[in-house]
Amino acid sequence: MNNPLYPAFFRLDRLQLLVVGAGQVGEEKLRFILKSSPNAQVTVIAPWMGEDLRAALDGYDKGAGSPVPGRSQEGAAGVWHTTEEGRVAYYAREFRPEDVQQADLVVAATDIRAVNRAVYDAAKAARRLCNIADTPELCDFYLGSIVTRGPLKVAISTNGQSPTFAKRFRQWLEAELPELETTDLIDNLKLFRDRLTGDFQTKVRDLNTVTSELLASPQRGHRCPAGGCLMVSTALAVSPPADEPTLPD
């Protein structure tokens, strides 16, 4: 079966994300959200907060009050700010259907089926996109495995068939894409692209030439050591051979 999902990358600094639940499931969801998007604007609603989530939030600066536009102060129990201008606001109370009105995306992260279903019903009535923990048939989107290397971000999905493979593939990509070399390569390719002249076809041809080394080693019948092909391409973008067109240094 082919994977029919259409991948998209959300600007969580511009959207309001609601997470219902602050126990083990909520902590796992929020931790990965903030790891991938430390500038996310998140509201957490739950009658209590687990120790794991509280410990994770203690790593951020804690403020006061509720910075969520249009949301009542009732139950406001704290707000934390990340170094990337992200925000997590916590409300210590039960979920209410009207809570979804101030949200763009909704995540139900409890282990109580009735609560998760209530979140789903409210989200769909308000036409909000939602993710319901451990209930794929009620999800409009999934929170998959993610690899981040500087400006590069790769999302991995097996359409729910093998989360273990997604995890291992993420680990393989992390080993193959060293942080520094990946960032240097993409930065240099941007400089190279910005300096290109000529028509569209010429620019595409030049970009294809300079990135061909990414696949050069496998084409010769052997694979690179971890990050090896990437290092070759980074070096090529920085200082090409003398008989090649001048690239940015």
Side-chain angles (χ1 to χ4, degrees), residues 201-219:
Q201 290 183 340
T202 299
K203 293 178 180 179
V204 170
R205 185 184 65 244
D206 290 343
L207 283 168
N208 284 336
T209 298
V210 79
T211 57
S212 63
E213 283 295 323
L214 284 169
L215 300 177
S217 183
Q219 289 173 348

Side-chain angles (χ1 to χ4, degrees), residues 10 17-21 25 28-30 33 104-110 115-117 119-120 123-124 128-144:
F10 292 113
L17 174 64
L18 172 64
V19 176
V20 179
V25 180
E28 181 183 78
K29 299 282 189 183
L30 190 59
I33 288 168
D104 299 298
L105 304 172
V106 178
V107 174
T110 83
V115 173
N116 287 349
R117 183 69 200 206
V119 174
Y120 171 80
K124 299 318 294 178
R128 302 301 194 265
L129 298 178
C130 62
N131 173 277
I132 310 299
D134 297 324
T135 318
E137 64 272 17
L138 298 184
C139 291
D140 297 315
F141 63 93
Y142 300 134
L143 303 175

Side-chain angles (χ1 to χ4, degrees), residues 9 35-36 145-156 170 172-187 189 214 230:
F9 292 90
K35 178 182 178 182
S36 181
S145 293
I146 296 173
V147 176
T148 302
R149 288 291 184 265
L152 175 68
K153 182 158 291 187
V154 181
I156 304 164
R170 171 181 60 80
W172 180 81
L173 284 176
E174 288 174 340
E176 289 292 314
L177 300 172
E179 181 82 34
L180 179 61
E181 287 80 4
T182 304
T183 301
D184 285 347
L185 173 60
I186 295 176
D187 287 347
L189 286 174
L214 284 169
L230 198 64

Side-chain angles (χ1 to χ4, degrees), residues 37 83 129:
S37 299
T83 57
L129 298 178

